[in-house]
Amino acid sequence: MAGSSIMETLFQRTLEDLIKGMRLQLIGESAFISKAMEEIRREIKSTDLHTKSIALQKLTYLNSLHAADMSWAAFHAVECMSSSRFAEKRVGYVAASQSFNESTPVLLLITNQLRKDLTSVNEYEASLALECLAKIGTVDLARDLTPEIFTLLSSSKVFVRKKSIGVTMRLFEKYPDAVRVCFKRLVENLESSDPQSLSATVGVFCELAAKDPPSYLPLAPEFYRILVDSKNNWVLIKVLKIFAKLAPLEPRLAKKVVEPICEHMRRTGAKSLMFECVRTVVGSLSEYESAVKLAVAKIREFLLEDDPNLKYLGLHALSIVPPKHLWAVLENKEVVIKSLSDEDANIKLESLGLVMAMVSESSIVEISRVLVNYALKSDPEFCNEILGSLLSTCSRNFYEIVVDFDWYVSLLGEMSRTPHCQKGEEIESQLIDVGMRVRDARPELVRVARSLLIDPALLGNPFLHRVLSAAAWVSGEYVEFSLNPFELAEALIQPRASLLPNSIRAVYLQSVLKILVFSVNSYLSQTETLADLEPGVQASQMENSEASDLASVRAPIESEHDEAFNPGVLDRPSADISVEDIGTVADGDGQTSKFVSFRKNGFTRESIVNLLNLVEVAMRPLSGSLEVEILERACNILGLIEVLKREMPAQFQSEMVLEKEELEVLELIKLMDDAFSEELGPVSTSAQDRVPIPDGLVLKDNLADLDEIMGDVKLPSSNSFSLESPYYAERMDPASSNVQSKEDSEASNESTSLLAEHRKRHGLYYLPSEGNGTISNDYPPANDLKSGETTNQDDPEDFVRLTAQSLVSKKKPNYAKPRPVVVKLDEGELVLAVPKKQDSRDDLLSGAVRDILLGDDAVKLSSSIKGKEKVNMDPLDSKENMHDMEHSRHRKSSSRRSKQRPHRKERGQTSPEKLGMEKEEHGGKVKSKSSHRHGRQKSRQKAEGSSDVIVQTPVIPDFLL
Amino acid sequence: MIHFVLLISRQGKVRLTKWYSPYTQKERNKVIRELSGLILSRGPKLCNFVEWTGLKVVYKRYASLYFCMCIDQDDNELEVLEIIHHFVEILDRYFGSVCELDLIFNFHKAYYILDELLIAGELQESSKKTVARLIAAQDSLVEAAKEQQSSISTIISQATK
């Protein structure tokens, strides 16, 4: 064995040999790699550390560049790390930081090695350990090595100190409790005279502040000093980033920093710093008119540069400019529009976004025309970008910028005819949405739908199928606006429709049914009206009134058609399907009676018979379809035709005769027509709120009582269910059910679980549970989301999202103005309700956050900004902190006691950052659990304990201690 | 912060990878595949930034090598371009007008230099001179060890003869 080891040492290929061999290999790369891997596997087992380290180095190389697996070599990396020779140690560390992750089992073994190297007198060894820790630090490592990092943070060797500063970021992220130990020293480094340490520290704070800005407000004076004093652009950029986060939180701070930032902007020659200044101003300091003016001037310089980078960044900066400074965009309109045809896709996208930002009620028509034309010429990807942003801009806030819906509907039609269009789904939903919301647009909508449906070429494009589905639905639903229902029906049953997917085919068939019913009903009621006009014929009283009702409803519509009819007929392709018109056009002119206006639509006996025959022929083959939806609908239509043909022979004999049985048919058709002409409309999400709560229904009651009733109901553990759980409980009145519970319990168990099941399956149709913040607050279980410890309001991600939303909603004040076109919104409140809801939730949140984090610090900040440099020496404050600490310790113990739900207490009090860390903590915990599966009960408990501690430690006071 | 650093040759060969955010091997392969396709296909006169899955990739081509760094959406693109340039200058100083072959054969050294430049995805050293000094110091440590090593192995090989 020893002999082979020496042989290997002597004849081992070095990394360089490997690389050379790789370049000269003739056997193919993968074969060469597997051969080399074989070799490495043999060599790495060597007892000689040198041989081992070279093998490991080769393996690291193969892993890094050729994705060879090296997870199996983790232990060998640890062995190399513990070598006393620097070269071998370094190879080991590089291998470790390259390949180790949270679930690497040997991580547990390296704690002591890292500790030893961190405290090594050789600064290079310490730096290796620091670099490795920065990369692979886990919760356990971070916890165990915090003291060493703390020592290094004030090391006299700058080289080590700056690295340890860099490591603190990983440390805090993994083990938030380290903040209490290291924060003060980290802050001290902000005053460091060494530029590298300062730069590293500012870098760390920049990352930290990005995650949770409010916590770092108290440090604003330090940052301000750096902003004013520093000459180092790297540092300045980071400080600007920090201020970009802090300034929106504290208006006085914004006021203070705006001047120095402008000064930098004027003075600096570095584009990167200038860009950062510009971005900070337009993004966070947009209140300051003069600063924004300066920034926009700089943006303009960027835009006029030839450098595509600067151009891109200039456009990007413009896109951050808030809507109230839209003038900045308008000022650079030409450049923006010219950039639409830039060769760089990124620049095109940015400028597209800007063009959409410039869109207003007055310019939308023009801009859309330009863009749609442009989309025709551009490559498929960008074409769809254009269409997508047009669609989303126009539909924003219920089509608020669309004035002329006839125009918009035809634009939708035009878009779907764009060759590369892949936005079928979006166009589909908008066609239907406009149909439901905007009554006035329906005639045009049906016209557009018709032109889409009768074009057989469109059926071949799978991207358009969704659009066709919408067109089919529209033409069926609003068939009364159609100039020629027969033509529509014909289009819907054309042979090429078989190219459609089944689900859309089903929509087609349903529309055919609607058109059929409408046509027959129109025909019948027209003959009836005719009959009414005849003096001798009397229908029964009821029918009479109904018929005239119907007629009067139809009348205005028909008279509209009167005007539009003639051109419509002329336009129509006369060869194919206008059988029904024969003889009707001729006698139409000059007559004004209602009867004739009906006749104009072509509802003659022959035409109806024709239609029925045609549809029947088309449906026959479909009645054997394998798809149930199609089969069923086809059969329905066939059945209806059957009935009509059987019941109406007399009708077809003579239009003038009305008999008893025909009236039955009339009744039937009328019923169906009534059913179909029932208006469909959008329903507000708040609709449920307006339903009065019946007496005796107690909605706000704790659900604890329900546990007894529900005791034996096994709740499904899925998330969506637990999210909804308050709901079914709410529906069951706990107070009253208490009384009946004894006898009802079994039945109610069943029904509630059924209801729950139904809710789970059809969650879509239930109202969103966040509808009312107060309700969900009253139901603690409702807040047990996924992990059971984050609440809706406190989830940091939610917080981030909400703040983002609230930023957006600030932009909306001008949306309140009334629309010129009557948009039939089902609920006018809907528009208002959405932002309102967000605001209240946001207030709740930020209020809670502010209470904890800024309570005293905000005061302190204001005073310190006014001149004091030192923030943290106030005795009162430190007392406050002591109190805080005590408080947290207290809470700790109480939360320990209730182990089941340890975090309930902190809800609403912990800062978002804490929660974020807590979350990560838990993520880490889960992972570490899975890593030492072998039942390391002890460490698990330890981790749990630490996570308890973490939750209760507020961030700010730590450096004040 | 910088999420990862990639060096890709014009032919799509990877020359160096360094990951500061956790990516599994599978993800790493995917990232490399996607990005090399995205970046290599871009023409020479386009801007040096690519938006990619919510992040930004800043790249710059030096001779036949593309240096790519992936950053957060609100990081400063120009600053990262400067970091890349900084890195290249240090490599240049170390190898003496660096070329792709230098990086191919001294893969690990490029790695060590990068480690001196960045830590935890942040720039840690903005002085070229300092980086050069540090690398030289560590090199001499390694050299010393190597000499020792070679002498031992010669002793052993002599002993076993």
Side-chain angles (χ1 to χ4, degrees):
Chain A
M1 192 66 210
S4 78
S5 160
I6 287 162
M7 291 304 280
E8 268 162 19
T9 314
L10 288 176
F11 298 105
Q12 186 181 22
R13 288 203 288 182
T14 63
L15 175 60
E16 201 171 339
D17 298 335
L18 178 77
I19 297 171
K20 277 186 185 143
M22 178 83 88
R23 291 174 67 79
L24 296 173
Q25 40 88 7
L26 302 166
I27 52 173
E29 197 175 87
S30 58
F32 184 85
I33 289 176
S34 57
K35 205 156 157 259
M37 285 293 280
E38 225 168 84
E39 207 174 274
I40 289 169
R41 273 177 197 275
R42 210 171 48 238
E43 290 166 2
I44 212 165
K45 290 192 192 111
S46 160
T47 47
D48 178 27
L49 266 183
H50 181 68
T51 313
K52 192 188 279 288
S53 75
I54 287 181
L56 188 63
Q57 191 177 30
K58 289 192 284 187
L59 183 59
T60 313
Y61 172 81
L62 289 178
N63 170 261
S64 168
L65 299 192
H66 301 283
D69 176 41
M70 68 178 291
S71 53
W72 54 272
F75 187 75
H76 300 289
V78 175
E79 277 186 301
C80 285
M81 281 163 74
S82 61
S83 164
S84 58
R85 292 193 202 95
F86 182 73
E88 288 155 18
K89 191 186 276 294
R90 178 151 80 168
V91 169
Y93 270 112
V94 168
S97 54
Q98 171 84 12
S99 66
F100 284 15
N101 56 39
E102 300 263 340
S103 57
T104 305
V106 295
L107 269 182
L108 299 165
L109 303 175
I110 65 170
T111 314
N112 275 324
Q113 184 58 42
L114 280 173
R115 183 176 291 138
K116 196 173 138 227
D117 286 333
L118 284 175
T119 50
S120 160
V121 281
N122 184 343
E123 54 181 339
Y124 299 109
E125 286 181 3
S127 109
L128 283 181
L130 283 170
E131 268 156 20
C132 186
L133 189 59
K135 182 70 209 337
I136 64 168
T138 59
V139 181
D140 290 323
L141 282 177
R143 186 186 57 235
D144 295 339
L145 296 174
T146 297
E148 280 72 28
I149 301 295
F150 173 73
T151 318
L152 290 178
L153 274 177
S154 59
S155 161
S156 58
K157 291 170 189 153
V158 177
F159 173 59
V160 178
R161 191 165 73 210
K162 73 176 187 216
K163 290 201 177 191
S164 59
I165 292 168
V167 170
T168 49
M169 203 151 64
R170 179 88 186 190
L171 215 59
F172 290 176
E173 186 189 315
K174 290 290 165 193
Y175 179 60
D177 225 21
V179 172
R180 298 162 74 185
V181 182
C182 299
F183 203 76
K184 191 164 175 247
R185 287 230 169 136
L186 193 60
V187 173
E188 278 167 7
N189 272 309
L190 276 180
E191 291 162 43
S192 160
S193 55
D194 173 60
Q196 301 309 334
S197 303
L198 178 64
S199 161
T201 316
V202 173
V204 170
F205 276 113
C206 181
E207 287 296 315
L208 290 175
K211 285 181 188 130
D212 173 36
S215 308
Y216 302 94
L217 263 180
L219 290 172
E222 316 282 340
F223 297 137
Y224 179 75
R225 189 178 50 73
I226 297 170
L227 178 70
V228 176
D229 294 346
S230 178
K231 297 277 178 288
N232 182 338
N233 285 350
W234 303 102
V235 174
L236 282 174
I237 288 174
K238 296 282 179 198
V239 171
L240 282 170
K241 279 189 185 304
I242 297 174
F243 277 120
K245 294 286 182 327
L246 297 187
L249 302 170
E250 175 58 62
R252 283 165 301 188
L253 181 62
K255 199 175 159 202
K256 186 96 176 158
V257 295
V258 69
E259 201 30 59
I261 292 178
C262 287
E263 192 51 41
H264 280 303
M265 209 164 10
R266 279 188 214 105
R267 233 181 26 210
T268 184
K271 292 275 190 267
S272 51
L273 179 58
M274 170 123 56
F275 176 65
E276 200 55 53
C277 291
V278 167
R279 183 150 63 177
T280 310
V281 168
V282 296
S284 307
L285 300 166
S286 55
E287 311 289 320
Y288 298 90
E289 206 65 46
S290 62
V292 174
K293 280 219 173 75
L294 182 62
V296 171
K298 296 291 179 193
I299 291 177
R300 198 167 173 76
E301 282 175 27
F302 275 28
L303 289 178
L304 298 178
E305 294 266 359
D306 280 336
D307 186 349
N309 287 343
L310 296 181
K311 198 167 174 187
Y312 169 76
L313 291 177
L315 291 172
H316 183 66
L318 273 187
S319 70
I320 322 173
V321 174
K324 71 177 162 187
H325 292 300
L326 196 62
W327 57 268
V329 185
L330 292 173
E331 221 167 62
N332 297 298
K333 201 170 164 185
E334 302 83 46
V335 190
V336 170
I337 295 197
K338 226 183 341 180
S339 309
L340 266 185
S341 49
D342 199 283
E343 52 182 328
D344 192 333
N346 290 331
I347 293 183
K348 281 200 283 193
L349 275 183
E350 286 290 339
S351 62
L352 176 63
L354 286 171
V355 169
M356 294 330 288
M358 285 191 281
V359 162
S360 66
E361 274 173 29
S362 50
S363 59
I364 179 72
V365 177
E366 184 63 11
I367 290 183
S368 305
R369 194 178 55 78
V370 172
L371 283 181
V372 170
N373 282 338
Y374 188 70
L376 284 173
K377 291 182 290 191
S378 55
D379 56 303
E381 198 180 334
F382 192 56
C383 167
N384 280 304
E385 288 289 347
I386 292 179
L387 297 184
S389 54
L390 260 181
L391 286 170
S392 61
T393 308
C394 291
S395 63
R396 192 175 54 208
N397 246 348
F398 306 111
Y399 313 96
E400 62 168 354
I401 59 170
V402 178
V403 178
D404 180 357
F405 274 91
D406 286 354
W407 161 80
Y408 186 58
V409 167
S410 53
L411 179 75
L412 286 177
E414 204 178 322
M415 281 187 193
S416 41
R417 285 169 179 275
T418 313
H420 303 303
C421 173
Q422 295 173 7
K423 297 282 171 191
E425 215 157 307
E426 181 61 28
I427 296 177
E428 175 198 26
S429 62
Q430 289 202 14
L431 279 176
I432 292 176
D433 200 39
V434 168
M436 289 196 292
R437 288 180 191 279
V438 191
R439 201 182 284 272
D440 295 348
R442 285 176 193 166
E444 180 67 13
L445 199 58
V446 173
R447 203 191 60 77
V448 168
R450 168 193 166 272
S451 71
L452 289 172
L453 288 175
I454 62 170
D455 189 347
L458 298 181
L459 285 165
N461 183 350
F463 292 116
L464 290 184
H465 285 166
R466 305 293 300 267
V467 180
L468 290 177
S469 156
W473 183 84
V474 160
S475 60
E477 185 66 22
Y478 306 118
V479 59
E480 71 259 29
F481 297 104
S482 168
L483 303 182
N484 188 344
F486 302 108
E487 187 191 37
L488 276 179
E490 189 119 8
L492 289 171
I493 55 178
Q494 63 180 297
R496 267 176 78 90
S498 58
L499 293 170
L500 292 167
N502 287 331
S503 57
I504 293 170
R505 200 82 210 275
V507 177
Y508 266 56
L509 293 187
Q510 187 70 4
S511 293
V512 170
L513 179 60
K514 285 178 184 171
I515 293 172
L516 204 62
V517 168
F518 169 77
S519 305
V520 174
N521 181 48
S522 302
Y523 167 69
L524 288 178
S525 54
Q526 124 198 346
T527 47
E528 192 186 5
T529 321
L530 191 74
D532 283 351
L533 294 177
E534 303 277 318
V537 187
Q538 290 288 330
S540 75
Q541 195 63 38
M542 193 187 75
E543 276 158 2
N544 201 353
S545 69
E546 257 183 29
S548 57
D549 265 0
L550 195 78
S552 64
V553 169
R554 296 273 181 232
I557 299 161
E558 302 305 338
S559 62
E560 269 177 33
H561 282 193
D562 237 21
E563 299 158 12
F565 181 67
N566 280 335
V569 171
L570 294 177
D571 283 347
R572 205 186 303 156
S574 53
D576 48 3
I577 39 174
S578 43
V579 200
E580 65 277 9
D581 290 322
I582 296 166
T584 60
V585 181
D587 65 345
D589 293 332
Q591 301 202 30
T592 49
S593 81
K594 207 186 274 174
F595 168 54
V596 174
S597 84
F598 272 118
R599 298 258 331 208
K600 266 190 180 179
N601 263 340
F603 295 122
T604 59
R605 192 168 52 89
E606 313 90 82
S607 68
I608 294 290
V609 174
N610 262 331
L611 178 67
L612 290 179
N613 288 335
L614 200 65
V615 173
E616 192 179 5
V617 169
M619 288 307 126
R620 281 283 170 231
L622 291 178
S623 62
S625 169
L626 290 176
E627 172 66 29
V628 280
E629 279 290 330
I630 296 180
L631 175 74
E632 192 178 353
R633 289 176 198 207
C635 288
N636 283 345
I637 296 174
L638 283 175
L640 179 71
I641 292 174
E642 197 86 348
V643 170
L644 287 176
K645 284 204 166 162
R646 204 177 55 235
E647 298 283 334
M648 297 202 337
Q651 186 72 6
F652 295 132
Q653 299 304 315
S654 156
E655 291 179 17
M656 297 301 171
V657 185
L658 275 175
E659 290 177 17
K660 190 83 179 83
E661 61 201 74
E662 285 150 26
L663 289 176
E664 275 168 19
V665 175
L666 186 68
E667 196 82 348
L668 173 75
I669 286 292
K670 207 180 285 165
L671 271 173
M672 287 183 75
D673 190 52
D674 282 352
F676 283 142
S677 55
E678 182 79 24
E679 186 84 30
L680 295 174
V683 178
S684 161
T685 46
S686 60
Q688 180 83 52
D689 291 352
R690 262 163 288 146
V691 178
I693 299 170
D695 287 341
L697 182 65
V698 186
L699 285 177
K700 303 195 173 189
D701 207 1
N702 202 305
L703 296 178
D705 302 344
L706 219 61
D707 284 348
E708 298 163 22
I709 311 166
M710 311 265 301
D712 47 3
V713 182
K714 187 79 181 152
L715 296 181
S717 57
S718 96
N719 292 335
S720 64
F721 177 70
S722 68
L723 186 75
E724 315 289 7
S725 60
Y727 257 87
Y728 69 80
E730 192 180 307
R731 278 143 196 267
M732 284 205 42
D733 174 13
S736 58
S737 63
N738 241 348
V739 187
Q740 317 158 340
S741 59
K742 299 292 177 285
E743 62 268 29
D744 274 10
S745 64
E746 292 217 354
S748 75
N749 282 345
E750 197 175 57
S751 66
T752 47
S753 58
L754 276 177
L755 181 55
E757 194 62 33
H758 186 262
R759 164 170 280 277
K760 197 172 133 197
R761 204 173 297 164
H762 304 282
L764 184 64
Y765 303 111
Y766 284 81
L767 292 170
S769 54
E770 266 104 75
N772 201 331
T774 53
I775 288 182
S776 63
N777 271 349
D778 284 353
Y779 291 99
N783 292 335
D784 284 347
L785 282 183
K786 297 162 193 156
S787 58
E789 42 217 23
T790 48
T791 65
N792 286 339
Q793 310 151 339
D794 295 350
D795 189 337
E797 276 161 38
D798 261 18
F799 174 71
V800 172
R801 205 183 59 227
L802 273 176
T803 42
Q805 278 171 347
S806 72
L807 283 181
V808 172
S809 66
K810 268 181 208 158
K811 297 178 194 163
K812 290 183 183 170
N814 53 339
Y815 294 171
K817 94 183 147 189
R819 305 283 321 283
V821 174
V822 190
V823 178
K824 195 246 163 197
L825 287 180
D826 157 68
E827 313 290 341
E829 282 169 51
L830 197 58
V831 192
L832 296 172
V834 175
K836 220 193 285 169
K837 197 167 66 187
Q838 286 165 357
D839 278 353
S840 67
R841 286 186 61 185
D842 190 37
D843 277 350
L844 259 172
L845 252 175
S846 54
V849 172
R850 226 163 276 149
D851 279 350
I852 298 171
L853 293 173
L854 297 177
D856 34 335
D857 290 323
V859 183
K860 201 165 46 187
L861 171 74
S862 61
S863 66
S864 60
I865 282 183
K866 276 171 199 147
K868 273 187 237 164
E869 287 286 315
K870 276 283 161 214
V871 202
N872 34 14
M873 289 304 134
D874 199 335
L876 201 138
D877 278 340
S878 50
K879 208 187 284 174
E880 192 81 27
N881 295 327
M882 298 280 278
H883 180 74
D884 219 315
M885 289 296 300
E886 226 172 74
H887 199 63
S888 69
R889 227 169 290 141
H890 182 71
R891 266 188 277 161
K892 182 163 75 186
S893 58
S894 69
S895 73
R896 280 254 169 85
R897 234 170 286 140
S898 55
K899 206 122 201 186
Q900 286 306 84
R901 21 186 194 183
H903 305 294
R904 184 73 41 80
K905 291 229 149 155
E906 280 71 48
R907 183 175 304 131
Q909 298 174 334
T910 34
S911 73
E913 193 216 26
K914 280 287 140 193
L915 270 169
M917 297 196 160
E918 181 193 343
K919 211 175 145 194
E920 278 161 13
E921 177 79 22
H922 276 269
K925 213 173 71 191
V926 171
K927 273 181 198 160
S928 67
K929 261 186 199 169
S930 67
S931 73
H932 6 116
R933 257 178 247 110
H934 317 296
R936 286 183 49 93
Q937 198 65 22
K938 210 170 181 182
S939 78
R940 200 179 301 169
Q941 270 174 357
K942 218 170 167 186
E944 221 156 310
S946 69
S947 79
D948 272 352
V949 177
I950 296 153
V951 179
Q952 285 112 29
T953 338
V955 175
I956 298 186
D958 293 316
F959 76 97
L960 305 172
L961 288 173
Chain B
M1 69 177 270
I2 297 168
H3 294 281
F4 54 81
V5 179
L6 290 182
L7 265 63
I8 307 173
S9 79
R10 211 174 37 170
Q11 290 81 31
K13 293 249 187 237
V14 186
R15 295 301 180 206
L16 188 144
T17 56
K18 177 87 186 173
W19 309 87
Y20 295 99
S21 298
Y23 288 88
T24 62
Q25 190 62 52
K26 220 176 188 176
E27 288 166 336
R28 290 179 184 184
N29 295 343
K30 186 161 164 271
V31 166
I32 292 174
R33 207 170 46 241
E34 276 181 22
L35 276 185
S36 48
L38 198 63
I39 288 170
L40 297 180
S41 63
R42 284 175 66 83
K45 280 190 176 164
L46 309 184
C47 70
N48 295 90
F49 319 124
V50 183
E51 305 218 3
W52 175 74
T53 63
L55 299 170
K56 264 195 187 131
V57 177
V58 178
Y59 72 93
K60 191 156 169 66
R61 182 177 162 181
Y62 288 90
S64 57
L65 262 190
Y66 286 86
F67 289 70
C68 319
M69 291 190 181
C70 177
I71 53 172
D72 286 321
Q73 199 60 252
D74 57 351
D75 276 329
N76 191 320
E77 295 89 343
L78 293 175
E79 186 198 12
V80 177
L81 269 184
E82 275 174 50
I83 293 179
I84 291 177
H85 189 68
H86 195 61
F87 181 43
V88 174
E89 278 186 329
I90 294 171
L91 289 175
D92 203 45
R93 187 179 285 222
Y94 182 80
F95 290 107
S97 79
V98 66
C99 66
E100 196 182 336
L101 277 181
D102 286 327
L103 296 182
I104 294 172
F105 288 114
N106 296 288
F107 158 81
H108 50 297
K109 291 193 172 153
Y111 225 97
Y112 300 146
I113 294 175
L114 190 58
D115 273 347
E116 290 307 325
L117 190 68
L118 301 174
I119 190 166
E122 295 285 332
L123 182 78
Q124 59 159 327
E125 183 57 69
S126 54
S127 154
K128 283 168 244 168
K129 221 185 248 167
T130 316
V131 174
R133 186 173 52 76
L134 292 171
I135 293 292
Q138 294 181 43
D139 277 353
S140 64
L141 271 179
V142 174
E143 281 310 313
K146 216 182 240 170
E147 268 166 33
Q148 197 190 1
Q149 177 65 39
S150 60
S151 63
I152 290 174
S153 63
T154 42
I155 292 165
I156 295 173
S157 61
Q158 277 166 357
T160 49
K161 254 174 196 169

